[in-house]
Amino acid sequence: MKEKRWILREDYDLETVEKLAASLGVDKIIATLLVERGVTTFEEARRFFRPGLDQVHDPFLMKGMKEAVERINTAIARQERIMVYGDYDVDGTSAVALVYSYLKELDRNIDFYVPDREKEGYGISTQGIDYAAETGVKLVIALDCGIKAMEQVAYAKGRGIDFIIGDHHLPDEVVPAAVAVLDPKQVDCPYPYKELSGCGIGFKIVEAHLEQKMGVRLCDMPEQLDDVRRHRQEELKLHLLKYLDLVAVSIASDIVPIMGENRVLAYFGLRVLNTKPRPGIEAILHYGRVDRRKAEGTEPSEQQDQAKGGYFEKELTISDLVFLVGPRINAAGRIRSAFDSVRLMITEDANIARRLAEDINNYNLERKDLDTAATERAKLLIDQHPFYKGRHSLVLYDPQWHRGVVGIVASRIVEAYYKPTIVFTEGADGIITGSARSIKEFDVHEALEKCADLLEHFGGHKCAAGVSLRKENMKAFVDRFEQLVRDGMGPEEQQPEVEIDCELPLGAVTPKFLRILKQFAPFGPDNNVPVFVSHELVDTGGARIVGTNHLKFNAISTTERSAPFPAIAFQMGECLTRMKRGERFDLCYQLEENYWRGKTEIQLGVKDIRFEN
């Protein structure tokens, strides 16, 4: 087990914590967690604990939104054919499904398109534009891609096709000459929230169009509206709610911050998913087996399934979307065709949804086999090839690896070695294509910008990016990337860290405390499940190994009176001997609810263990 740095957060003001605790009537631990998340006043706390759709921002604050809505209205009025175009990952396909579903209600003359990962690669392709021209399309709405597609948009214009670009990736100084470019990350875009997902941008387009149509804004304060407009606003909310399940899936899968507007959208999206998921998502959930009875250790019969409505008794969380829904939707674009993912999310026919979900689940099983084999091969290369010894970065290449899994393999390598990693495989026409994944301390997108002269294409975020280059540039790129990583990180930054929210005496862990903590959900980046540290603990004597090297034990304080708490530490079996000797330890953990045989208990989900000596 690689030793980790423990970083106790101290980025808050004690006086602010004390004032907030007093105004809310909560203890200082809860107040500390709120202040760490930027919640410092009673009103901010009220909005945090009681999200409302009126907390979203006016979509017309986004640069280009007025022009985008006008062009969509013109296309509908002229009966022009519209194509919704999106990337092949979860964010892109959910964005396409959302905007396509909305426009389909207004105009039947509409199509959608997702590029083929193998043949066309990421982003807007000339093949996609040619298909649009051949099918009479006059307007393309590109989502989750296109912010750097200068040549493609110009090519489309030459073929009589206008573009609206809705993207959330970092733009260059110059953006494509589209009818409208919607991207809050543009330096001159006044939209106050910069971290929407690609599907979130699609939602804002739909919101803006529907608001203009209905003559009322989602962000209008109800008390300031007359009865007629208040009724319209309620209709607007109901209409928009049905799309938020897709937005929640995209927010979870694209790992964007879950604070501010994203938290509101995710909160209501989860509510839709937990009450009336669309047929495609419901069919996918069946293969995730997220029912509560499964968690309690009982296997439901077919009769029970039919009687209780299937496999959906467990309340879905962001984590469920990340691990159970997202990978399956992604698998279609990785293995076969992302068109299947869009079809799954737009169908209203439960039978069609079940057939598509079965195919997509099979793609996911195939994807697992491919990424497992590629990950094992990559680890073998790193461990046995002398080239990688002492490297600060890991750049790997194998022409046999499937393009659809190189991103997953890169993520697995970062988890195992904690180094910025790029995994390449063979592309077309002498181009090598790959995915980059990084650690918290290193901005991989910035590093790729400094290698731009060696690259054919790159784009993405601080922690993840796509990249392609010519074979003859590989050595020079590997050397420069390694130097950038070496220069950009100190020794401490190369060590994995556990960020701790605050210290917590075990005696303070009560059902009431956990109930308040659960109201911090939905959890995700910038609002992660809180991590606590407790000191001077011992095991009560029942420590044991379960599963494949997982440590199960009961922790109790040696300095305060408290009940023991069950704890589970995944892949930490090497700590068993010292724990059984009765050695004292400090524990970093998250608080969890564990369901087993009809009972619920508080459990410590261990992040790290540190013995006294």
Side-chain angles (χ1 to χ4, degrees):
M1 184 171 68
K2 195 169 185 177
E3 187 176 346
K4 299 176 182 176
R5 290 180 294 147
W6 289 16
I7 309 296
L8 180 62
R9 291 187 65 172
E10 297 177 318
D11 55 338
Y12 56 87
D13 178 68
L14 286 174
E15 185 179 347
T16 303
V17 169
E18 289 171 356
K19 286 182 179 178
L20 186 62
S23 67
L24 295 178
V26 297
D27 64 42
K28 289 183 181 179
I29 294 172
I30 294 295
T32 298
L33 297 174
L34 288 169
V35 172
E36 286 175 343
R37 286 153 178 77
V39 178
T40 60
T41 68
F42 181 91
E43 177 58 24
E44 287 172 350
R46 183 192 68 79
R47 290 165 65 87
F48 182 82
F49 286 122
R50 297 177 184 173
L53 285 175
D54 59 347
Q55 295 173 19
V56 304
H57 300 294
D58 182 349
F60 286 96
L61 291 175
M62 194 177 296
K63 181 184 178 183
M65 187 62 79
K66 179 175 177 288
E67 292 79 4
V69 171
E70 286 177 353
R71 183 64 184 89
I72 291 169
N73 284 335
T74 299
I76 292 171
R78 293 177 178 172
Q79 296 184 325
E80 292 177 339
R81 189 162 179 79
I82 302 172
M83 174 191 284
V84 186
Y85 187 115
D87 189 22
Y88 40 64
D89 68 0
V90 179
D91 193 17
T93 54
S94 60
V96 170
L98 192 157
V99 175
Y100 176 87
S101 296
Y102 171 71
L103 291 177
K104 192 73 171 176
E105 295 179 5
L106 306 177
D107 185 0
R108 307 298 293 182
N109 194 19
I110 186 167
D111 198 359
F112 70 84
Y113 190 91
V114 185
D116 183 279
R117 182 188 293 264
E118 293 288 333
K119 297 175 183 176
E120 298 168 75
Y122 169 79
I124 298 167
S125 69
T126 55
Q127 184 174 327
I129 294 169
D130 289 341
Y131 172 80
E134 290 161 8
T135 55
V137 169
K138 295 299 180 184
L139 174 63
V140 174
I141 303 173
L143 301 166
D144 193 36
C145 61
I147 196 62
K148 296 186 177 183
M150 267 73 76
E151 293 179 7
Q152 292 88 340
V153 170
Y155 175 71
K157 192 173 184 65
R159 301 210 63 178
I161 299 170
D162 286 338
F163 257 84
I164 294 170
I165 292 173
D167 205 346
H168 69 133
H169 295 99
L170 290 168
D172 292 330
E173 290 184 12
V174 179
V175 297
V179 170
V181 177
L182 309 171
D183 188 336
K185 291 187 175 75
Q186 294 179 88
V187 292
D188 57 346
C189 179
Y191 195 75
Y193 191 73
K194 306 297 183 181
E195 302 299 333
L196 291 168
S197 65
C199 186
I201 301 291
F203 175 80
K204 299 307 289 189
I205 294 172
V206 169
E207 180 192 343
H209 191 269
L210 198 54
E211 285 179 350
Q212 187 190 75
K213 187 179 176 184
M214 299 183 70
V216 68
R217 300 280 170 89
L218 199 58
C219 61
D220 289 340
M221 300 302 293
E223 58 270 22
Q224 297 175 348
L225 302 176
D226 58 36
D227 289 344
V228 172
R229 295 184 70 222
R230 196 178 301 120
H231 178 70
R232 285 183 191 166
Q233 189 185 58
E234 288 303 312
E235 288 184 339
L236 174 67
K237 287 179 182 178
L238 287 174
H239 201 122
L240 289 172
L241 270 172
K242 66 183 181 181
Y243 302 113
L244 287 180
D245 55 346
L246 295 175
V247 180
V249 169
S250 80
I251 287 171
S253 301
D254 218 51
I255 319 180
V256 292
I258 304 188
M259 283 297 284
E261 189 167 15
N262 275 345
R263 186 170 181 273
V264 174
L265 298 176
Y267 176 88
F268 285 98
L270 283 168
R271 181 180 289 184
V272 174
L273 286 162
N274 280 301
T275 53
K276 193 178 180 182
R278 63 186 57 223
I281 302 296
E282 187 168 0
I284 279 290
L285 287 170
H286 175 84
Y287 290 97
R289 301 180 66 81
V290 296
D291 61 298
R292 188 180 301 280
R293 289 151 292 151
K294 178 74 172 178
E296 292 175 350
T298 58
E299 191 71 22
S301 67
E302 184 177 347
Q303 290 77 14
Q304 286 174 317
D305 281 348
Q306 293 171 351
K308 296 191 176 183
Y311 287 77
F312 308 105
E313 289 194 10
K314 179 185 183 298
E315 185 172 346
L316 289 167
T317 65
I318 290 293
S319 181
D320 292 320
L321 303 183
V322 170
F323 293 106
L324 301 175
V325 177
R328 288 176 168 84
I329 293 175
N330 248 338
R334 294 185 187 280
I335 302 302
R336 192 66 57 85
S337 169
F339 276 81
D340 285 346
S341 296
V342 178
R343 292 186 187 105
L344 177 78
M345 289 184 276
I346 65 175
T347 186
E348 296 178 5
D349 187 311
N351 292 323
I352 293 174
R354 280 192 289 270
R355 289 198 297 271
L356 285 167
E358 182 179 6
D359 289 342
I360 284 173
N361 191 63
N362 289 333
Y363 300 153
N364 191 50
L365 294 173
E366 184 179 347
R367 186 272 306 168
K368 284 183 178 180
D369 290 340
L370 288 169
D371 84 59
T372 297
T375 301
E376 289 175 356
R377 166 68 177 154
K379 288 181 176 179
L380 200 64
L381 277 173
I382 295 166
D383 295 339
Q384 295 186 357
H385 201 295
F387 175 80
Y388 294 103
K389 189 173 182 179
R391 304 285 292 186
H392 291 67
S393 66
L394 297 170
V395 181
L396 304 144
Y397 167 68
D398 189 321
Q400 300 304 313
W401 286 334
H402 193 286
R403 286 180 65 180
V405 301
V406 291
I408 299 170
V409 175
S411 296
R412 301 264 196 270
I413 297 303
V414 170
E415 289 172 9
Y417 297 91
Y418 204 70
K419 296 178 181 181
T421 299
I422 308 178
V423 178
F424 284 103
T425 189
E426 194 77 14
D429 301 322
I431 302 294
I432 297 173
T433 182
S435 286
R437 298 292 183 270
S438 193
I439 60 178
K440 179 183 176 183
E441 295 80 3
F442 187 77
D443 188 333
V444 72
H445 188 273
E446 183 179 295
L448 292 175
E449 285 182 328
K450 294 176 180 178
C451 301
D453 58 304
L454 299 172
L455 305 176
E456 293 298 303
H457 171 82
F458 72 94
H461 309 284
K462 177 181 178 180
C463 292
V467 59
S468 61
L469 51 73
R470 295 192 175 277
K471 286 182 181 179
E472 56 266 28
N473 290 333
M474 176 63 98
K475 185 182 183 306
F477 171 74
V478 170
D479 291 344
R480 191 186 300 179
F481 186 74
E482 168 67 14
Q483 193 62 51
L484 288 167
V485 175
R486 189 183 295 270
D487 294 344
M489 292 173 57
E492 274 199 353
E493 293 171 317
Q494 297 170 39
Q495 185 180 6
E497 71 172 34
V498 179
E499 188 175 72
I500 302 164
D501 286 88
C502 59
E503 296 186 15
L504 180 67
L506 279 188
V509 179
T510 64
K512 179 183 177 182
F513 181 83
L514 186 58
R515 280 198 302 273
I516 297 174
L517 208 60
K518 287 170 67 177
Q519 294 178 50
F520 279 65
F523 294 111
D526 287 4
N527 183 36
N528 287 307
V529 177
V531 175
F532 302 105
V533 62
S534 295
H535 300 287
E536 298 187 69
L537 311 179
V538 293
D539 172 52
T540 58
R544 64 192 188 278
I545 301 296
V546 297
T548 56
N549 201 37
H550 309 318
L551 181 63
K552 184 82 172 169
F553 61 99
N554 290 292
I556 192 167
S557 173
T558 61
T559 60
E560 59 173 315
R561 296 182 62 181
S562 70
F565 283 91
I568 182 72
F570 293 105
Q571 299 300 320
M572 297 187 198
E574 64 269 28
C575 297
L576 177 65
T577 301
R578 300 186 70 178
M579 198 167 280
K580 288 180 80 68
R581 285 203 300 254
E583 293 187 36
R584 288 194 295 186
F585 55 86
D586 299 338
L587 204 64
C588 284
Y589 59 90
Q590 297 172 333
L591 292 175
E592 304 170 345
E593 283 185 320
N594 185 41
Y595 304 100
W596 182 252
R597 299 190 183 280
K599 294 181 181 179
T600 303
E601 63 179 1
I602 298 174
Q603 175 178 270
L604 312 182
V606 177
K607 307 294 287 183
D608 200 22
I609 303 170
R610 182 177 289 174
F611 289 91
E612 284 195 348
N613 298 310

